[in-house]
Amino acid sequence: MAIFKGAGVAIVTPMHEDLSINYNKLEELLEEQITAGTDAIIICGTTGESATLSEEEHLEAIKFTIDKVAKRIPVIAGTGSNSTHTAVNMSKDAAEYGADGLLIVTPYYNKGTQNGLIRHYTTIAEAVKKPIIMYNVPSRTGCNILPPTVASLFKNAENIVGIKEATGNISQVAKVMELTDGKIDLYSGNDDQIVPLLSLGGIGVISVLSNIAPKETHDIVMKYLEGDVAGSRDLQIRAISLIDELFCEVNPIPVKAAMNLMGKDVGPLRLPLTEMEPANQARLAAAMRDFGLNVVK
């Protein structure tokens, strides 16, 4: 069984002005997402500024989210690291807290060969018997899990069940699906490619867009899976201009700006991320209004 089908939100980590985590606001966001029909919460991913959370904060945010969601929808914990040892330890803790699954990004900076990636993921999978979704995002990590490597891991590690594909390379995704006999749980890691990946056998998206348009993102996936391909496609196309603005600066700068423009008050970003450039923010606000979102600031 898949951990989830539909739209999982790669949720932001709201901050106080002193840059500590705002847990009251995080609880509020979780409730909003569940009410809006989001299908899963992904906590402490890229969008959650995991790179600048301490290990203690990282685990505290994961446990808080699991406790507050209380099994109403799946919670997937981002526990990847460029240190296999650290990834194993964080994954064990998240599993103990009750995470429904783990999102494990490829090692970044030190990267690793394809054999190294097999060892990395296999070591984590053997240490923690929770379902694992591999996260392939070479634009950030400098490391690409090639299709034969994905297939090897999927076939040889029982609890490696899925992949979040953010290469943007449709041909590579198609090869992954060929080599896994279409059985791997495929999630789009790019909001502008949800429908293309669904057409290759995908079952959902791990989404930035869901932070500000949870119902619409859910509907893009579910319309497709229920057979309304035209309706899904039309929603995807209608969202493209907004998605473009959500990624005009490095994620999560624009999505946090968007949420603040909507009055959600998710606070500032931790350095080295900085506040959105005014001209870019103006275009973002215009795209949000065009999409029908309520811009109050």
Side-chain angles (χ1 to χ4, degrees), residues 16-224:
H16 293 291
E17 288 304 313
D18 66 359
L19 297 178
S20 61
I21 297 175
N22 185 341
Y23 283 104
N24 288 336
K25 179 59 65 173
L26 178 56
E27 182 176 6
E28 184 181 312
L29 297 179
L30 293 170
E31 293 301 326
E32 287 179 2
Q33 288 290 328
I34 293 168
T35 300
T38 287
D39 301 287
I41 304 291
I42 292 80
I43 184 70
C44 292
T46 305
T47 311
E49 297 179 74
S50 57
T52 51
L53 299 179
S54 69
E55 194 170 321
E56 181 182 8
E57 288 174 319
H58 196 132
L59 292 170
E60 187 176 56
I62 289 170
K63 187 176 190 306
F64 179 90
T65 299
I66 291 166
D67 290 346
K68 293 300 179 182
V69 173
K71 297 296 180 183
R72 286 175 288 172
I73 59 175
V75 174
I76 299 167
T79 53
S81 172
N82 60 345
S83 160
T84 305
H85 177 76
T86 300
V88 165
N89 287 339
M90 288 204 299
S91 297
K92 284 180 175 178
D93 285 337
E96 185 178 324
Y97 299 154
D100 297 285
L102 307 171
L103 182 68
I104 308 289
V105 71
T106 57
Y108 39 87
Y109 189 71
N110 52 358
K111 302 192 291 187
T113 63
Q114 296 301 303
N115 284 336
L117 292 175
I118 289 172
R119 290 279 302 278
H120 176 76
Y121 279 103
T122 301
T123 300
I124 299 167
E126 288 175 347
V128 186
K129 296 307 178 186
K130 288 285 182 178
I132 289 170
I133 299 171
M134 299 174 284
Y135 180 16
N136 197 21
V137 58
S139 64
R140 282 186 177 269
T141 64
C143 183
N144 187 8
I145 318 176
L146 297 178
T149 304
V150 173
S152 174
L153 287 162
F154 176 67
K155 290 175 180 178
N156 293 307
E158 185 179 1
N159 56 324
I160 295 180
V161 300
I163 186 165
K164 177 185 176 184
E165 248 296 339
T167 60
N169 184 339
I170 298 298
S171 297
Q172 178 166 323
V173 177
K175 193 68 179 177
V176 165
M177 296 307 278
E178 179 200 2
L179 295 179
T180 60
D181 302 317
K183 294 178 180 177
I184 195 167
D185 293 340
L186 172 65
Y187 299 97
S188 177
N190 295 322
D191 284 313
D192 61 350
Q193 292 186 340
I194 302 171
V195 170
L197 266 67
L198 292 174
S199 75
L200 290 170
I203 60 171
V205 60
I206 294 176
S207 172
V208 175
L209 178 65
S210 283
N211 280 283
I212 59 171
K215 182 183 184 302
E216 292 84 352
T217 312
H218 165 88
D219 286 350
I220 290 172
V221 179
M222 285 310 180
K223 282 180 180 290
Y224 192 100

